[in-house]
Amino acid sequence: MRLLDGVRVFELGIAIASPNAGRLLAHQGAEVYKVESPTSPDVVRLIGSAWLRGDDGLAPAMPDSSPYVPEFNADKKSVAIDLKRSEGREAARRLLANCDVFLANYGARALAELGLDYESVRALRPDIVYVQLPGFGSDPEMPYYPYVAWGPNQAPLVGIDDLTGHADREPAGIATVAPPDYLASLHAAFCVLAGLEQRDRTGEGVHVDIAQFEATISLLGPFAMDHALTGHAQSRIGNRSLWYAPEGVYPCRGEERWIAISVVDDDAWDRLLTIAPPELAADDRFATNESRMDNVDALDEAMAGWTSAFNNVDLAARLQRVGVAAHIVATNEDILQDQHVMESGWYAVRPSARFTRDLFGGSPLRMSETPGRWDRGGPSSGEHTGEVLTGTAGLTEEEVEALLADGAAFTMDRPDLRIDRPYENWLHVLLPREAVDSRDLL
Amino acid sequence: MSGPFEGLRLIDLSGLAGAYGGRLFAALGAEVIKVEPPAGNPMRRMAPFVPGAGHPEASLWWAYLAMGTKSLVVDIESESDRARLGRLLAEADIVLDDHGPGVLDDRGLGYESIAASNPGVVWVSITPFGLSGPKRDWASSNLVAWAASGVLYAVGFDDQPPVVPGGPAQLGMHATALNAAVGAVLGLRGRRLIGRGQLVDLSLAEACLAISPETGLALFLDDRVHRARTGNRRTLSRPFGLYPCQDGYVSILVLMPRHWEAIAQWANEVCGNEAIIDPVFADMTVRGETMELVDSWVEELTMSMTLLEFFQEGQRRGIPITPVNTIETLRTDPHLAATGFWDTVELPTGGEVAIPGAPFRTNAQWWKLGRAPRLGEHTEELVATTDPAHGA
């Protein structure tokens, strides 16, 4: 069994924040309905695979081809309904009446316009666990209520971009990843589960409004307090630590080969000295953590002088052998050769309707008694419309046919069009553990 | 009503890697007991500090993340203290533990020993690289966990070393702690459904790996493009990233067709740019292929006004545009002031300070947090209820 078997989740999710929460619930067995419309798709469906572009014959596969679809939507059921049409909204309401959880990161105003604000949903399902993640909260009286902010806007908005980068330069920001999206999704998963605990104990549902703006700032408490007490506004300091030195990313032998090292206290420094050149031990400026922090520029220079003579994989292993926290700054090419990651089974390969197989990352929660799993990759857009509307929502076959004929609901485009991922034929070389999992050979 | 975790007891044996999770449980009603060595939890030594105050009550990390918890001092070297901790763990609903593999087991206080007498316990083990695998004994830090995830490599400018996302904010630690909280609630549900607790094996490495899809392996294998550092803009399309205004930076994120139409129209109105409204640029792939040109047009627009003007007018036009805030500008943000987000809390050293309020709002009364405890503040109270000699 899985812990959320029988729990039904109605999800209106875009990109990462809500979809990543829904996917964690699916991992534990929840039936997650990804309600979406081809006329207003989840943006990740637009970020198709480069190798498919320009091939008009494969155009119907484009909305399903993004690697992000399985990454954030593994094992969900895609129900394609046009919520802008009254017939579509009615079908959604009938589905919702049979769900336990409502999860959305649509803007609060958009939800209200669709008649899917908390009060409206509660009228359909009184004990609903309703969790929304709007950028700025769901109170129409508040100044930024109608504003839009996506995941990658959040890091700059909440001060995290200002904290990211080297001190002598403009913010490097976090253009390539959006950590606030993932942190919001974890808040959402926590609130859904806490809400289910409350509901199962008391019979009462709950409305949780997670303004991503506020949720992410709540992770910066110590800096906000420091500013309030002293007027000091913490800003970026590269890779350095506020607490100890050395901590940094240092060059190693080769092009773009780096190592991250954290020497967290004097004991760790003494252990580092057992493999470091004697000059580091002899230098009085580096004798104690306090003196190392006072002389951090010289220290970093000395560290870089040492590390640059080494292969980064070898040096990381040597440092770890003496108990110093260190790791190569891994590229994807490195991760493919990382025995620890590959043996852990982090990457899963599962069948999907459009592809022979789909690849996606795992969950950090490894539970001894009730392990989670995903049986399938990401759903094709509209793949499960019929079965969910006639099943959970309780519509008749005729009603579903009418919705489809009318364009108020959609099914998967060209289900006969099945293609292989470019890596399909050599996946077993990269992921040997996965290749022996019989579910992959379906 | 009170929070959903009223009546539960969580024993927090962890430091920063579990702290935000313990804080969430405390806020939602659980009794959270921080077990500290006589020298105090490691967080107590972390700057920034309350000015003028000394160890062990000065750390603002402690003052914030330990809010609403109780402090019990336990000397692991003392046999009677170990026995006391054993009795406490034998009654615990949840344990957050960031000792490395085997450390507590060697003292008879690990999961196996405790679960033998307390089969309902939900034990969240937080380690650098997990309880098994070639790196199970490796050490870590926030920086090291990001380095292993593949994310660090892709953050920063290409002429400088990669740089940790969030810098000193320790986002990897908070991600780990949030996962710990999710795992703990799942474990509680499991206890109800299958009648026993379990071990949740959680690592810093995988908490950060879970934040890697945008730079990650599935994407790489699909397109075989080596992920390089691209500064503060993303190569996916444009405009996407940070852009300069007259007096600061803004973040612009245009992926959806309607957002592009709106910003192109705006540039046309303000700068008289006729080329930008050519329908060919409506395709985000085309904008990715012509990013220098598109960026120059967008910068012409952003540099024509102040940060505040660009933010407000951009939002009025429905485009995802936000300011690049600092800790200082956040504290005067008008929206946060209007929502009443900022709260105040008493410091362990006395006096009050402004803090970020609850990370979410609920229609039921869930969130409640008092100040962080002083070192050993609840030792006497907890000893009185756990020691058999006290006849509790």
Side-chain angles (χ1 to χ4, degrees):
Chain A
M1 68 154 299
R2 283 183 288 174
L3 291 173
L4 297 175
D5 285 345
V7 171
R8 291 160 167 174
V9 180
F10 182 106
E11 185 188 59
L12 282 177
I14 302 170
I16 302 173
S18 160
N20 193 51
R23 142 193 146 102
L24 292 173
L25 302 173
H27 189 241
Q28 296 295 340
E31 183 136 312
V32 182
Y33 306 122
K34 182 175 180 62
V35 177
E36 55 183 341
S37 157
T39 57
S40 161
D42 182 349
V43 68
V44 302
R45 293 199 183 274
L46 301 178
I47 307 171
S49 304
W51 54 274
L52 265 176
R53 286 198 179 277
D55 186 334
D56 291 343
L58 296 179
M62 274 301 286
D64 307 326
S65 71
S66 164
Y68 294 132
V69 174
E71 286 277 26
F72 304 124
N73 300 284
D75 230 349
K76 294 182 191 174
K77 293 191 167 169
S78 172
V79 185
I81 306 174
D82 189 347
L83 295 172
K84 294 192 170 122
R85 303 186 48 170
S86 59
E87 307 92 319
R89 278 202 300 280
E90 178 53 26
R93 278 195 288 269
R94 288 174 67 179
L95 177 58
L96 201 37
N98 292 294
C99 286
D100 305 277
V101 176
F102 178 93
L103 176 64
N105 67 337
Y106 277 33
R109 190 168 63 169
L111 283 181
E113 284 167 5
L114 292 169
L116 293 171
D117 55 292
Y118 174 63
E119 292 305 330
S120 308
V121 172
R122 191 176 64 163
L124 298 166
R125 176 79 191 210
D127 64 350
I128 193 82
V129 173
Y130 183 106
V131 177
Q132 63 180 147
L133 301 97
F136 300 101
S138 68
D139 181 348
E141 303 298 316
M142 292 301 124
Y144 297 173
Y145 169 75
Y147 285 14
V148 284
W150 289 31
N153 290 128
Q154 289 289 339
L157 176 71
V158 304
I160 287 176
D161 271 13
D162 182 71
L163 287 163
T164 305
H166 298 278
D168 57 355
R169 199 156 162 187
E170 77 265 28
I174 321 176
T176 42
V177 277
D181 261 338
Y182 300 82
L183 297 164
S185 79
L186 289 166
H187 277 102
F190 175 78
C191 288
V192 166
L193 293 165
L196 287 170
E197 287 300 295
Q198 170 179 299
R199 187 202 66 170
D200 291 353
R201 211 180 57 220
T202 68
E204 301 273 328
V206 68
H207 174 205
V208 185
D209 181 10
I210 307 175
Q212 292 187 48
F213 190 20
E214 297 180 343
T216 315
I217 296 175
S218 84
L219 300 171
L220 303 178
F223 300 145
M225 295 159 85
D226 185 32
H227 185 262
L229 288 169
T230 70
H232 170 248
Q234 182 64 50
S235 188
R236 55 196 169 277
I237 52 172
N239 291 308
R240 286 178 178 167
S241 166
L242 293 172
W243 312 319
Y244 49 77
E247 175 160 83
V249 170
Y250 302 102
C252 287
R253 214 169 59 212
E255 192 71 12
E256 283 289 325
R257 301 305 284 163
W258 308 93
I259 189 167
I261 301 174
S262 297
V263 180
V264 300
D265 55 24
D266 285 331
D267 287 346
W269 178 249
D270 289 343
R271 294 194 298 273
L272 179 139
L273 290 180
T274 63
I275 60 167
E279 301 88 82
L280 279 176
D283 197 322
D284 285 347
R285 292 174 301 174
F286 308 151
T288 66
N289 189 50
E290 198 181 343
S291 67
R292 285 191 299 278
M293 292 191 71
D294 287 343
N295 296 285
V296 68
D297 288 334
L299 177 65
D300 277 345
E301 200 174 314
M303 286 290 291
W306 173 47
T307 60
S308 56
F310 288 85
N311 168 288
N312 63 351
V313 176
D314 293 344
L315 185 58
R318 287 178 54 148
L319 283 162
Q320 287 284 359
R321 210 172 299 130
V322 297
V324 174
H327 202 281
I328 65 166
V329 178
T331 63
N332 280 310
E333 293 87 333
D334 291 321
I335 289 172
L336 281 168
Q337 295 171 46
D338 187 326
Q339 201 185 353
H340 186 84
V341 175
M342 290 301 145
E343 281 186 14
S344 74
W346 172 262
Y347 292 100
V349 182
R350 297 288 177 267
S352 77
R354 185 70 78 191
F355 293 94
T356 317
R357 300 191 289 187
D358 241 340
L359 169 77
F360 52 93
S363 161
L365 296 174
R366 297 175 179 271
M367 305 190 62
S368 63
E369 308 299 309
T370 56
R373 65 166 198 275
W374 293 285
D375 289 334
R376 296 183 63 79
S380 180
S381 182
E383 181 181 345
H384 306 92
T385 305
E387 68 173 82
V388 173
L389 288 182
T390 55
T392 308
L395 272 65
T396 64
E397 301 271 354
E398 293 72 29
E399 285 173 312
V400 174
E401 287 301 324
L403 287 169
L404 292 172
D406 202 29
F410 305 84
T411 54
M412 179 179 170
D413 194 11
R414 291 279 313 277
D416 57 308
L417 179 63
R418 289 177 58 90
I419 45 182
D420 284 353
R421 290 277 185 196
Y423 49 72
E424 174 59 33
N425 288 335
W426 38 281
L427 210 45
H428 62 287
V429 181
L430 304 171
L431 303 167
R433 276 170 58 104
E434 286 296 332
V436 298
D437 184 335
S438 60
R439 278 174 304 198
D440 302 332
L441 305 174
L442 293 173
Chain B
M1 67 165 287
S2 52
F5 299 131
E6 189 81 28
L8 289 173
R9 180 179 265 191
L10 182 154
I11 307 296
D12 189 355
L13 307 176
S14 76
L16 187 57
Y20 190 83
R23 185 178 196 267
L24 286 176
F25 269 90
L28 267 53
E31 182 187 27
V32 176
I33 299 171
K34 294 233 179 234
V35 175
E36 303 194 65
N41 187 293
M43 276 193 294
R44 292 184 180 274
R45 296 190 181 276
M46 293 178 183
F49 299 111
V50 179
H55 183 73
E57 308 301 347
S59 168
L60 295 173
W61 290 84
W62 177 263
Y64 184 69
L65 291 169
M67 277 172 61
T69 68
K70 294 180 176 178
S71 166
L72 169 72
V73 171
V74 168
D75 181 359
I76 202 86
E77 303 307 326
S78 142
E79 196 178 322
S80 64
D81 275 23
R82 275 202 304 277
R84 182 177 294 147
L85 179 56
R87 285 191 296 276
L88 198 65
L89 294 172
E91 302 287 319
D93 296 295
I94 302 165
V95 177
L96 304 185
D97 166 27
D98 71 355
H99 295 75
V103 173
L104 288 177
D105 299 288
D106 295 347
R107 294 181 161 86
L109 293 168
Y111 171 68
E112 299 295 336
S113 324
I114 300 303
S117 62
N118 179 6
V121 72
V122 177
W123 189 290
V124 184
S125 161
I126 304 169
T127 55
F129 287 89
L131 293 172
S132 59
K135 296 180 186 170
R136 70 186 284 268
D137 294 319
W138 281 32
S140 194
S141 67
N142 178 67
L143 177 70
V144 165
W146 284 115
S149 74
V151 172
L152 179 58
Y153 183 79
V155 180
F157 294 103
D158 62 3
D159 58 348
Q160 282 182 311
V163 69
V164 65
Q170 303 286 316
L171 295 183
M173 291 288 184
H174 293 320
T176 307
L178 275 158
N179 272 294
V182 173
V185 201
L186 280 169
L188 290 174
R189 185 176 177 88
R191 194 167 72 162
R192 242 186 19 249
L193 296 180
I194 62 173
R196 60 183 188 279
Q198 57 185 308
L199 177 65
V200 182
D201 174 6
L202 165 66
S203 68
L204 268 65
E206 291 192 343
C208 289
L209 203 51
I211 302 179
S212 75
E214 292 155 279
T215 61
L217 200 58
L219 208 62
F220 169 68
L221 290 179
D222 196 70
D223 64 14
R224 300 306 307 276
V225 175
H226 176 84
R227 293 286 175 285
R229 300 187 293 290
T230 61
N232 51 30
R233 294 178 190 169
R234 202 188 296 200
T235 49
L236 183 60
S237 183
R238 292 291 163 90
F240 193 136
L242 308 191
Y243 289 79
C245 289
Q246 287 168 358
D247 59 345
Y249 286 86
V250 289
S251 154
I252 309 176
L253 199 165
V254 170
L255 288 177
M256 301 299 274
R258 66 176 185 277
H259 297 146
W260 170 253
E261 280 164 32
I263 201 166
Q265 185 60 38
W266 190 9
N268 177 257
E269 287 169 28
V270 173
C271 311
N273 187 331
E274 293 297 327
I276 197 170
I277 53 175
D278 188 315
V280 71
F281 294 108
D283 183 336
M284 69 180 192
T285 311
V286 172
R287 297 199 303 278
E289 287 160 356
T290 57
M291 59 175 72
E292 284 180 19
L293 181 64
V294 173
D295 278 348
S296 70
W297 292 340
V298 172
E299 283 172 26
E300 190 185 3
L301 177 67
T302 58
M303 285 302 290
S304 74
M305 55 193 98
T306 66
L307 189 162
L308 206 61
E309 285 165 355
F310 191 76
F311 170 45
Q312 289 176 345
E313 176 60 17
Q315 286 287 351
R316 197 189 64 76
R317 291 169 183 260
I319 308 165
I321 288 170
T322 58
V324 178
N325 277 318
T326 64
I327 296 293
E328 186 168 23
T329 55
L330 285 171
R331 294 198 61 247
T332 54
D333 180 88
H335 178 84
L336 294 173
T339 63
F341 174 61
W342 299 103
D343 202 350
T344 57
V345 72
E346 191 188 334
L347 290 162
T349 51
E352 281 197 340
V353 65
I355 55 165
F360 46 78
R361 296 161 198 272
T362 50
N363 59 340
Q365 179 58 51
W366 274 15
W367 190 270
K368 191 168 174 243
L369 272 181
R371 72 163 166 82
R374 290 186 277 272
L375 180 61
E377 183 172 344
H378 304 88
T379 301
E380 199 175 323
E381 165 199 327
L382 291 164
V383 165
T385 56
T386 55
D387 282 16
H390 287 79

